[in-house]
Amino acid sequence: MKKRYAAVMAGVLLLAVGCGRSLNEMDAYEEVVEESAAADTMAAPADTYESEEEAGSITSDSGIETVDQTGRKLIKTVYLSMQTKEFDTVLDGLSAKVQETGGYTESSSVSGSSYYYDSTRNAYFTIRVPSQRLDEFIDVVSGLGNLTQKSENVEDVTLQYVDAEGRKKTLETEQERLIQLLEQAENMEDLLAIESKLSDVRYELENYGSQLRLLDNQIDYSTVNVEITEVERVAEVKDRTFFGEISERFGNSLYMVGRGIRGFLIGFIGSLPILAVWAAIIAGIAVLIRRAVKGREKQEKRLEQTKTQEDLPTDPKS
């Protein structure tokens, strides 16, 4: 019985080898690939966490953990808001520091004009800076003006990165195996089925590759959003007493009153040419109206005189 069973199993094995290019083998192969991918995905994060525990958690000066030292994949975003009286100088300093650190400006916007007295300018920048030089960049840029707000955000994408990387490796292995099966296909049905599966694998492989490239860019280059506001008086951040706060607010009120009076005088004097033109136009219209009224009055007086003469009695002698 055992010999017969062994013979049957040997026959089945030979049949499976002979039909290795068939669709049944592809289905079995897919199951093996999926199990392998699941095993890689489950095992990868454990290795990552072990390396993180060995490296420890080291914090930089800005409060953001260093990627190289922790082994984590971190996406860092920083927001800076500042005030300055030297608007153009700050912009030049910011641009110079971006070039020095090897970063680039992703987007920028400058609004307002320095032509008018009451106008203030604002600038918004989205800057990408190499993560290794982020602390240096923040320290220098923060000193260009009066820093009023600073916020930092760190997103840990380690699991997402490891999962995408493991899936990509599994797909690459599957692609190589499908190429081998494609070379060994002997009929059109198997050939079309393998090419269809290979196309799907390549599509998924490209998607995971795009995800990894995007994550690499966000990890290697931190995002720094900078808002710069031009002001006439820089707000000082300090501890104030009760009387100190009263004094400061009283001074601010006097400043606003003086600013308002000055703005009114500047606006009035600056508008004198326009006011002169309007005054001339109004005066001309007034002269025309006065002439029209006088002409009408003379005409009415003539009509009255003519009517009076017609009403007088005629002389009988004549």
Side-chain angles (χ1 to χ4, degrees):
M1 184 67 179
K2 292 182 179 181
K3 294 181 178 180
R4 183 177 300 176
Y5 178 76
V8 172
M9 292 301 297
V12 172
L13 180 61
L14 292 174
L15 180 62
V17 173
C19 299
R21 307 174 188 86
S22 65
L23 297 178
N24 293 331
E25 181 184 318
M26 287 184 57
D27 295 337
Y29 168 72
E30 291 176 4
E31 293 178 0
V32 174
V33 170
E34 292 176 358
E35 292 176 359
S36 176
D40 293 340
T41 303
M42 294 297 294
D47 298 338
T48 303
Y49 289 134
E50 290 177 1
S51 63
E52 292 173 5
E53 292 177 358
E54 293 175 359
S57 179
I58 300 176
T59 305
S60 63
D61 296 337
S62 65
I64 298 179
E65 296 178 347
T66 306
V67 178
D68 295 337
Q69 294 174 334
T70 62
R72 295 182 178 179
K73 302 297 183 181
L74 305 178
I75 297 177
K76 297 173 284 187
T77 304
V78 180
Y79 172 77
L80 301 175
S81 177
M82 64 181 65
Q83 298 176 342
T84 180
K85 295 180 181 179
E86 305 294 335
F87 187 80
D88 297 323
T89 302
V90 172
L91 294 188
D92 293 339
L94 179 63
S95 177
K97 193 59 184 177
V98 171
Q99 295 180 0
E100 180 185 343
T101 55
Y104 62 93
T105 301
E106 189 173 78
S107 64
S108 63
S109 173
V110 180
S111 60
S113 173
S114 61
Y115 179 77
Y116 296 100
Y117 170 76
D118 290 332
S119 177
T120 56
R121 291 173 290 177
N122 296 278
Y124 302 90
F125 294 91
T126 299
I127 301 171
R128 304 297 302 280
V129 181
S131 300
Q132 296 178 350
R133 304 193 66 178
L134 177 62
D135 295 333
E136 173 191 349
F137 181 83
I138 294 176
D139 292 339
V140 173
V141 174
S142 298
L144 294 177
N146 181 40
L147 186 65
T148 58
Q149 184 179 355
K150 176 182 178 182
S151 62
E152 303 172 352
N153 180 63
V154 180
E155 181 183 1
D156 192 340
V157 294
T158 305
L159 293 179
Q160 180 181 351
Y161 191 94
V162 171
D163 180 70
E165 195 173 39
R167 183 57 180 160
K168 181 183 178 184
K169 291 180 180 179
T170 302
L171 289 171
E172 289 175 348
T173 303
E174 185 177 359
Q175 178 181 238
E176 293 177 1
R177 179 56 180 160
L178 287 173
I179 292 176
Q180 293 176 0
L181 292 176
L182 187 64
E183 294 175 352
Q184 298 172 6
E186 295 181 352
N187 56 71
M188 184 60 66
E189 182 180 359
D190 293 348
L191 181 64
L192 294 177
I194 295 173
E195 287 182 346
S196 176
K197 181 61 179 178
L198 183 60
S199 177
D200 294 338
V201 169
R202 285 174 174 172
Y203 178 77
E204 292 185 24
L205 191 60
E206 181 62 28
N207 286 339
Y208 281 106
S210 299
Q211 291 181 22
L212 290 173
R213 287 192 294 270
L214 178 61
L215 290 174
D216 284 333
N217 180 264
Q218 294 176 334
I219 293 168
D220 295 338
Y221 284 83
S222 300
T223 302
V224 182
N225 298 308
V226 182
E227 179 180 359
I228 304 172
T229 303
E230 183 181 28
V231 295
E232 294 183 1
R233 297 182 69 186
V234 176
E236 297 182 0
V237 180
K238 60 182 181 179
D239 295 334
R240 295 171 295 180
T241 61
F242 175 75
F243 293 102
E245 186 173 353
I246 292 177
S247 176
E248 182 178 352
R249 292 197 177 187
F250 184 78
N252 290 336
S253 298
L254 291 178
Y255 171 77
M256 294 303 297
V257 171
R259 180 186 174 94
I261 295 174
R262 181 180 177 182
F264 171 77
L265 292 177
I266 292 176
F268 177 76
I269 296 174
S271 301
L272 284 179
I274 299 176
L275 295 176
V277 173
W278 278 107
I281 294 174
I282 294 174
I285 294 174
V287 170
L288 293 176
I289 293 175
R290 186 176 180 183
R291 288 180 180 179
V293 170
K294 286 185 177 181
R296 185 172 181 180
E297 290 178 352
K298 289 181 180 180
Q299 186 176 3
E300 291 178 354
K301 186 179 289 186
R302 290 176 183 175
L303 291 175
E304 290 179 358
Q305 292 177 355
T306 303
K307 187 175 181 181
T308 302
Q309 292 177 357
E310 291 178 353
D311 293 340
L312 292 177
T314 56
D315 189 3
K317 294 181 180 182
S318 61

